[in-house]
Amino acid sequence: MSHLTEMEKVFSAIDQTAIILRKELNCLYLEAIAETGENMFHGEILQDELDEVTKKRLEREYESINLEKIDGETIRKAYQLAILKGMKEAVQPNHQMTPDAVSLFVSYLIGKFMEGKSNYNLLDPAVGAGNLLTTILNHHHQLIDAAYGIDVDDLLIKLTYVNANLQKHGVQLFNQDSLQPLFIDPVDLVVCDLPVGYYPNDEGAKAYQVRAEEGHSYAHHLFIEQSLNHMKDGAYGIFLVPNNLFETEQAKSLHAFLKEVAVIQGLIQLPLSMFKQESMAKSIFIIQKKGEGVVTPKQALLVQLPKFSNREAMNDMMTQMNEWFRNC
Ligand code: SAM
């Protein structure tokens, strides 16, 4: 059986059971995906209010797949497809999942920046539905000691919880505003597809050096400072940021703060074709917290990525990047 067919079978089981649950529980499709994922993980139907006929229909679908025998990436992709379908119903642009191509590329970068390190721990302070985090775990779980995820949205964090369970990853999750105090010890790596825009809580923003002098502060700036607060010396931060990060009126204080506490390792611009509007385009920003033995690279990794589908150009780019890693 081909890989794709297996993924489609898992998607179909999630989708069909979610459709049944959405109708019977009168809930959103996204909520139904979380419910059905829970059933799949526990191997039983947890919704007591369902009648026997409905339970039988669900069981028949669940029996069509054997999750024990299916690898994490296949389950992640199938679950991701179902989440994407659910997000079409109602989701704000800032809550969108990190696309696969980006998550895979970030996984590659982690492999390079964390080379030689083992037993490291990792935090995603805007974990959303967990696509970025679980992609990383599927590629590097042997080296990762502990993973933490935070999100303010209770449905999205539930989806991450179910997603991680089905992929057999232990993740500690917190449902809270990440810009409030966190109860997590400093980590070796922060990875985050940052929520871009204004943070409405001006009072809360006062705890941050990079806050705006007047009016609302940029949440993505505060997230970078908060991440650095929770990084060990020498730890890496890999963030998806808007392309204009250093071009706004609030950029000055972010720049000054970063200069004081971190070293910029790289800025990699994602292909513009990935985004509906140029103003929404993003880059991957890589920093390292200052500390003993941390050296500023001779030259930061500054790259503009070609389309991921352009294999030849992508291969050339990877060769250049691997060269940078060899020389840095
Ligand atoms: N990487 C995620 C994934 O693959 O599913 C997507 C992250 S999405 C671009 C940004 C996330 O930030 C959303 O899930 C949103 O709920 C979350 N968020 C926004 N403001 C937040 C805050 N103050 N504290 C915690 N999470 C927040």
Side-chain angles (χ1 to χ4, degrees):
M1 183 192 298
S2 80
H3 192 65
L4 191 65
T5 312
E6 191 168 50
M7 195 276 282
E8 282 174 343
K9 263 182 109 181
V10 180
F11 168 71
S12 170
I14 297 170
D15 182 49
Q16 292 305 315
T17 52
I19 289 170
I20 296 170
L21 286 166
R22 172 176 60 180
K23 185 160 176 279
E24 296 298 325
L25 303 175
N26 193 20
C27 63
L28 287 174
Y29 180 82
L30 268 185
E31 290 167 325
I33 299 171
E35 293 288 331
T36 203
E38 280 273 69
N39 289 348
M40 286 174 160
F41 177 66
H42 289 283
E44 62 178 302
I45 294 168
L46 301 167
Q47 299 76 24
D48 293 335
E49 61 270 48
L50 298 177
D51 60 51
E52 286 311 309
V53 176
T54 308
K55 284 185 179 171
K56 282 265 157 2
R57 284 173 66 205
L58 290 173
E59 272 162 11
R60 231 186 350 260
E61 289 291 343
Y62 293 142
E63 280 161 11
S64 69
I65 52 167
N66 182 354
L67 287 178
E68 280 307 310
K69 294 201 171 140
I70 301 172
D71 69 283
E73 271 299 87
T74 304
I75 297 172
R76 183 186 64 75
K77 285 179 188 159
Y79 207 71
Q80 175 195 226
L81 268 190
I83 295 173
L84 281 173
K85 179 176 167 183
M87 283 187 164
K88 284 198 180 134
E89 262 183 17
V91 153
Q92 305 166 17
N94 247 343
H95 289 199
Q96 270 166 16
M97 269 190 300
T98 308
D100 254 18
V102 176
S103 300
L104 289 167
F105 189 73
V106 169
S107 284
Y108 155 80
L109 289 175
I110 290 174
K112 288 291 181 188
F113 281 103
M114 300 303 281
E115 200 165 354
K117 298 193 172 66
S118 56
N119 299 326
Y120 58 86
N121 52 18
L122 143 79
L123 163 68
D124 181 346
V127 72
N131 201 46
L132 175 62
L133 183 65
T134 56
T135 304
I136 295 166
L137 290 172
N138 283 333
H139 288 90
H140 299 292
H141 64 93
Q142 302 93 331
L143 302 173
I144 296 173
D145 209 25
Y148 306 93
I150 313 171
D151 205 285
V152 74
D153 186 307
D154 53 351
L155 176 54
L156 292 180
I157 204 118
K158 189 164 183 198
L159 289 170
T160 295
Y161 161 76
V162 175
N163 212 348
N165 274 344
L166 291 176
Q167 295 173 53
K168 305 174 194 74
H169 297 302
V171 180
Q172 292 189 48
L173 294 169
F174 301 83
N175 182 201
Q176 68 157 97
D177 177 351
S178 291
L179 299 173
Q180 295 292 312
L182 304 180
F183 302 97
I184 295 174
D185 286 333
V187 294
D188 303 290
L189 173 66
V190 172
V191 180
C192 190
D193 184 352
L194 299 175
V196 177
Y198 290 113
Y199 184 50
N201 178 356
D202 292 338
E203 205 44 43
K206 285 188 182 155
Y208 295 90
Q209 288 186 48
V210 299
R211 68 181 178 275
E213 279 168 28
E214 265 176 41
H216 293 328
S217 305
Y218 279 140
H220 44 295
H221 290 196
L222 306 181
F223 258 82
I224 293 176
E225 181 171 339
Q226 178 71 317
S227 299
L228 278 154
N229 290 341
H230 289 272
M231 281 157 64
K232 293 179 189 168
D233 286 355
Y236 285 95
I238 303 183
F239 304 101
L240 267 112
V241 298
N243 278 357
N244 69 351
L245 185 71
F246 291 113
E247 288 159 19
T248 67
E249 78 289 357
Q250 292 190 29
K252 219 171 131 200
S253 58
L254 175 68
H255 203 263
F257 173 76
L258 283 172
K259 218 170 156 194
E260 190 187 315
V261 299
V263 163
I264 294 178
Q265 291 282 352
L267 189 62
I268 301 173
Q269 201 180 313
L270 291 167
L272 289 179
S273 57
M274 283 188 74
F275 304 92
K276 282 200 190 105
Q277 296 162 22
E278 204 174 319
S279 60
M280 290 168 91
K282 291 189 183 181
S283 298
I284 301 173
F285 183 46
I286 306 130
I287 57 177
Q288 188 176 20
K289 187 165 175 173
K290 284 188 177 168
E292 220 185 300
V294 173
V295 283
T296 312
K298 279 174 254 152
Q299 202 195 332
L301 178 64
L302 298 176
V303 169
Q304 188 159 359
L305 287 182
K307 274 188 181 176
F308 286 108
S309 55
N310 184 345
R311 288 222 167 166
E312 210 176 309
M314 201 59 201
N315 280 343
D316 277 354
M317 188 52 77
M318 297 302 254
T319 311
Q320 285 176 39
M321 287 181 40
N322 289 338
E323 191 63 23
W324 183 88
F325 281 107
R326 251 193 302 279
N327 295 327
C328 74

